[in-house]
Amino acid sequence: MGGIAGWVDPVDPLAGGGRVVRRMTDALVARGSGGEGLFVGVHAILGHRRLAAGGHQPVVLGDDGGEPLVVLSYSGEVVNHVDLRFELELLGHKFRTGTDTEVVLHACQEWGIGAAERLDGVYAFAVWDAVRRRLLLVRDRLGVKPLCYSGVGSGVVFASEPKALFASGLVESAVDERGLRDLLASVRTPGGSLYRDVRELPPGHVLVVDGSGVRDHRYWALEARPHTDDGPTTAARTRDLLVDITARHVRADVPPGVLLSGGLDSGVLVELGRKALRGTTVRTFSAGSAHKGVVDHRDLVLDPAELGGPALREAIVTARDAPSTGNGDASLLLLFRAVREHVGVVLSGEGADEVFGGHPWFHDPEALAAADYPWPHLAGCRALLRADVAAELDLTAHRAEHYRQALADVPVLAGEPAVQRRTREVSALHLAHWLPDLLDRQDRLSTAVGLEVRLPFCDHRLVEYAFNTPWSRHTAGGRAKSLLRAAAAADLPSSVPESVKVPSPNPRVIRDQVGDLLATPSAPVWSYLDPAAVRKRSSRPDVEFALSFDVWLRSGPARASSTRRT
């Protein structure tokens, strides 16, 4: 875990750039309190924050005279680095450490932009080629690790989080109207952002910055392929992938824990993790109810009063650089904070519902037949908008047009049955426009407390295989996630735990805070929200959005200069 930041201009020298990037890395201290590093060159300044002591970055590969050739600032984990190291050694590369960071550095020197497609894992990194005066920004295939950037002069500033871009003083923190539409319409535009002039590097992409300008290269995308394996072979192949992926994720000096969200996904991770660790006790954590049969389980009690408190709300907004749209953020942050007191790394089942079709709307004929995204939209939050704001944003039309464009990008196979084609569409839409928000949430809230969360179900190999498996295999016997059940049949515990009930904030605490907000007519949130609508819904959970939205507009990188109403 860590954070990266930097400023590169291949054309013009960067006067005072070291101070600029130092401010950026300071803004990322939550992503790495163990130390920071800085590389300062004429045309490139790269910064890094790391969680633990040791492993200094950025790392530099120099020539015989000590002049830098390639510089890397890296966050993530490449799980096939041992194989890549062997391949690079055969090509003449010499290594001084056994880290994946050094392997990525040499891979970029050897293969340049082609290195990205050789990496397996989750990562976001910047590599500066001093000879070519070329920067590569690289993000993993599913977008587990965040990376954003903004154009400045002939180059870019980049960072793990927008707050670091704003700390540079080179980028204004102004709300982007399309980004606000995406937030309120419950959609995600790859490459988009909640902020004007800030772009996210889309998952599976490389950004190239050199003397010719800035250009985007896609190195990975979901592809529709015929599935030729029979039922038993499909289950066996899926299990083999899960075994290998889980084994790679539990490798650590101290075995990671497992988050028990309740149900099949986390139960599979516990059992496969235990087998990979050859019987070593797996530490499990949940919020609410105990998990029988797990040796070292900790029940973490979340305080409903703290869930609705202003201090936690401000911590969430700071971590996410965005308002919260529900109380799920609060419970997740408290859970991560409590888990961090026991372990530094945990496995999570995040992504399993998207990969294996576990959400209820995957199995709702009405939702599947609609010419719309099947997942719920934020009707409660939208109901709080001022009439003029709602009319200008026109969220219904925005979501419809967003859906139309997204559907056109879904890969299909010629001659597929209508049911298979539709479920393929729904699966692809989830992976591209729903899952990224979940991944961003878990990354921001976990790194805010110094916890590393690993996501075995987001391995691209598993995603690709499940995406091309016929829907009938995912729903065999009329059960959701039948493919996952069949694959893990020999590994499941004798009884899968019930879903954990997460506490909700105290309604009285929320109502009192809403009353205080309503008594402040100068609050910036009233440029967007209707006080009468907020008062009417003050006892409903979605009113939390009004409180969070106000915090976001008041603090940090959240000044709504481009869409302000009076």
Side-chain angles (χ1 to χ4, degrees):
M1 194 182 89
I4 69 171
W7 183 14
V8 166
D9 192 319
V11 177
D12 298 317
L14 301 177
R19 293 189 299 274
V20 170
V21 177
R22 179 76 68 185
R23 292 197 300 268
M24 296 173 71
T25 57
D26 286 347
L28 297 174
V29 65
R31 300 191 73 89
S33 57
E36 62 180 332
L38 207 65
F39 166 83
V40 180
V42 176
H43 292 275
I45 297 97
L46 274 60
H48 188 268
R49 297 289 322 195
R50 61 185 181 276
L51 181 61
H56 178 79
Q57 287 196 56
V59 289
V60 180
L61 186 63
D63 62 16
D64 293 338
E67 290 297 314
L69 298 174
V70 184
V71 185
L72 174 71
S73 184
Y74 165 83
S75 172
E77 181 183 22
V78 170
V79 296
N80 65 330
H81 68 93
V82 174
D83 296 336
L84 289 175
R85 178 192 176 107
F86 178 73
E87 185 176 355
L88 287 163
E89 285 176 332
L90 292 177
L91 293 171
H93 290 260
K94 306 295 183 184
F95 292 87
R96 294 179 297 175
T97 72
T99 65
D100 60 338
T101 303
E102 191 180 12
V103 170
V104 173
L105 177 69
H106 283 266
C108 290
Q109 184 195 35
E110 179 67 33
W111 297 304
I113 196 171
E117 61 194 46
R118 295 172 177 264
L119 306 178
D120 288 344
V122 296
Y123 43 80
F125 63 85
V127 59
W128 170 247
D129 185 326
V131 176
R132 294 182 176 89
R133 287 194 193 175
R134 183 181 68 181
L135 173 74
L136 302 181
L137 296 179
V138 185
R139 194 174 182 200
D140 65 74
R141 293 168 178 82
L142 271 293
V144 174
K145 294 296 180 182
L147 184 54
C148 58
Y149 66 95
S150 183
V152 176
S154 305
V156 298
V157 287
F158 61 88
S160 297
E161 300 178 9
K163 61 171 64 70
L165 299 183
F166 305 138
S168 74
L170 302 171
V171 183
E172 182 188 6
S173 54
V175 175
D176 180 77
E177 192 163 311
R178 181 180 175 86
L180 185 60
R181 284 190 174 103
D182 280 2
L183 174 72
L184 294 171
S186 301
V187 297
R188 186 94 172 197
T189 300
S193 163
L194 197 49
Y195 298 96
R196 190 179 63 198
D197 300 328
V198 174
R199 298 277 297 169
E200 284 189 354
L201 183 62
H205 280 240
V206 177
L207 191 76
V208 183
V209 184
D210 58 20
S212 299
V214 179
R215 54 197 182 276
D216 194 316
H217 167 73
R218 188 173 191 171
Y219 71 90
W220 180 84
L222 274 177
E223 295 180 359
R225 302 168 184 158
H227 185 86
T228 58
D229 294 341
D230 61 18
T233 304
T234 299
R237 172 61 177 156
T238 303
R239 184 184 185 278
D240 288 344
L241 286 168
L242 285 168
V243 169
D244 178 66
I245 293 164
T246 305
R248 295 184 184 211
H249 279 284
V250 298
R251 291 173 188 164
D253 294 335
V254 178
V258 178
L259 294 178
L260 289 182
S261 57
L264 177 66
D265 313 330
S266 54
V268 169
L269 294 182
V270 170
E271 294 304 309
L272 291 180
R274 184 180 61 80
K275 291 178 179 179
L277 294 170
R278 301 184 183 277
T280 300
T281 299
V282 176
R283 305 182 72 180
T284 60
F285 304 89
S286 65
S289 54
H291 174 71
K292 297 178 181 179
V294 176
V295 175
D296 189 3
H297 177 78
R298 291 185 183 272
D299 241 352
L300 304 173
V301 179
L302 307 186
D303 183 358
E306 189 176 6
L307 280 173
L312 187 66
R313 185 176 301 112
E314 291 179 9
I316 292 168
V317 169
T318 298
R320 296 205 65 183
D321 289 320
S324 175
T325 55
N327 69 345
D329 286 357
S331 57
L332 191 61
L333 180 58
L334 284 184
L335 176 61
F336 285 160
R337 186 182 294 171
V339 169
R340 184 63 185 91
E341 296 178 2
H342 303 281
V343 295
V345 182
V346 291
L347 271 57
S348 167
E350 191 82 89
D353 284 331
E354 289 72 32
V355 174
F356 290 103
H359 290 296
W361 48 84
F362 270 99
H363 312 278
D364 181 347
E366 184 176 344
L368 294 177
D372 188 11
Y373 291 109
W375 54 81
H377 54 76
L378 300 174
C381 298
R382 292 164 63 171
L384 303 178
L385 293 173
R386 284 171 43 162
D388 59 329
V389 175
E392 183 172 344
L393 293 178
D394 196 358
L395 297 174
T396 299
H398 175 72
R399 180 168 164 130
E401 176 60 18
H402 195 284
Y403 172 77
R404 185 191 67 78
Q405 294 178 2
L407 199 63
D409 292 335
V410 173
V412 296
L413 281 178
E416 271 191 319
V419 171
Q420 175 63 22
R421 179 181 177 122
R422 180 54 180 162
T423 52
R424 182 188 293 279
E425 290 173 345
V426 170
S427 177
L429 293 173
H430 274 80
L431 293 170
H433 303 284
W434 170 270
L435 180 61
D437 193 59
L438 303 181
L439 299 181
D440 183 76
R441 180 179 76 153
Q442 68 82 24
D443 173 87
R444 299 296 198 89
L445 298 182
S446 61
T447 55
V449 298
L451 180 68
E452 179 184 346
V453 179
R454 298 179 180 178
L455 307 174
F457 289 109
C458 291
D459 187 288
H460 75 279
R461 297 170 297 161
L462 182 65
V463 170
E464 290 172 340
Y465 191 75
F467 176 70
N468 285 297
T469 299
W471 186 242
S472 59
R473 302 267 169 81
H474 286 283
T475 57
R479 302 188 72 185
K481 295 185 180 177
S482 290
L483 175 56
L484 179 57
R485 294 177 190 277
D491 307 295
L492 290 174
S494 56
S495 61
V496 175
E498 296 296 324
S499 296
V500 175
K501 181 176 176 58
V502 178
S504 300
N506 187 319
R508 178 176 296 178
V509 172
I510 299 297
R511 281 198 302 271
D512 289 346
Q513 294 174 59
V514 171
D516 292 340
L517 183 60
L518 288 166
T520 311
S522 61
V525 75
W526 303 131
S527 295
Y528 293 88
L529 304 187
D530 179 5
V534 172
R535 181 180 292 108
K536 182 179 179 180
R537 303 177 76 88
S538 61
S539 297
R540 297 174 63 98
D542 45 54
V543 81
E544 168 64 29
F545 172 71
L547 298 170
S548 181
F549 197 35
D550 186 65
V551 171
W552 180 65
L553 291 172
R554 286 176 182 272
S555 63
R559 298 184 295 276
S561 61
S562 65
T563 54
R564 184 178 61 228
R565 305 300 191 288
T566 58

